[in-house]
Amino acid sequence: MGFNTTYRLSAHAVIVNEHDEVLLLKASYGNRSWGLPGGALEKGETIHEALYRECREELGIDVHIEALTGVYYHSVYESHVFIFLCSVPDTATRISLSEEHTDYRFWPLAELSSVQKLRVMNALNFDGIVKSESF
C-alpha cells in the first residue's frame, strides 16, 4: 500500500435483544441502508475507542464490549470492518438516534443480508477465535 493510499477502518456492534434479534440502524445518508451501529475510526483512535464513541453518538447509550469476534474486508469500500459482540447495560433507558439515522429496529436473523448474517452469526457463536472473511 502506498504512502498516500486512502484506506478505511471501521468498528461495529452486534447487539441482540431477548429474542435474539439484532439491532440495525437506518442511515439518513447515501442509499439509506440498514446497518449495525458503528462507524469509521478517527485519526489516532483505537478500534475500541471508535466503537464506544460511535455507539454513544448513534444510540445515545454506552455499550459493553463482550469480544472482538471478526475482521472482514469489503472490496467495494476498500475497508476492513471490526465486528464486536456487545451488550447494553440494564441502566440504559432507551435508544436516542443521532441525525445520521432515521430509524432503528431489531431484525430476525433470517431477514439479514448474507454478509450481515454471517458477521452476526460469527459474533453470536463466538468461540474465542476471531473470524476473518473477504467480500
Side-chain angles (χ1 to χ4, degrees), residues 10-76:
S10 64
H12 297 270
V14 171
I15 300 169
V16 295
N17 64 13
E18 64 276 4
H19 306 291
D20 287 330
E21 297 168 320
V22 64
L23 177 65
L24 297 182
L25 308 178
K26 185 175 184 180
S28 62
Y29 54 88
N31 62 2
R32 296 178 176 13
S33 61
W34 289 87
L36 296 170
L41 275 69
E42 293 180 354
K43 186 175 181 179
E45 200 171 43
T46 69
I47 56 176
H48 293 81
E49 291 168 338
L51 186 66
Y52 286 130
R53 176 185 51 76
E54 287 285 346
C55 286
R56 264 186 244 110
E57 289 174 5
E58 295 180 353
L59 303 172
I61 57 176
D62 291 318
V63 298
H64 176 74
I65 295 175
E66 306 288 337
L68 169 64
T69 61
V71 181
Y72 304 91
Y73 175 70
H74 290 275
S75 60
V76 171

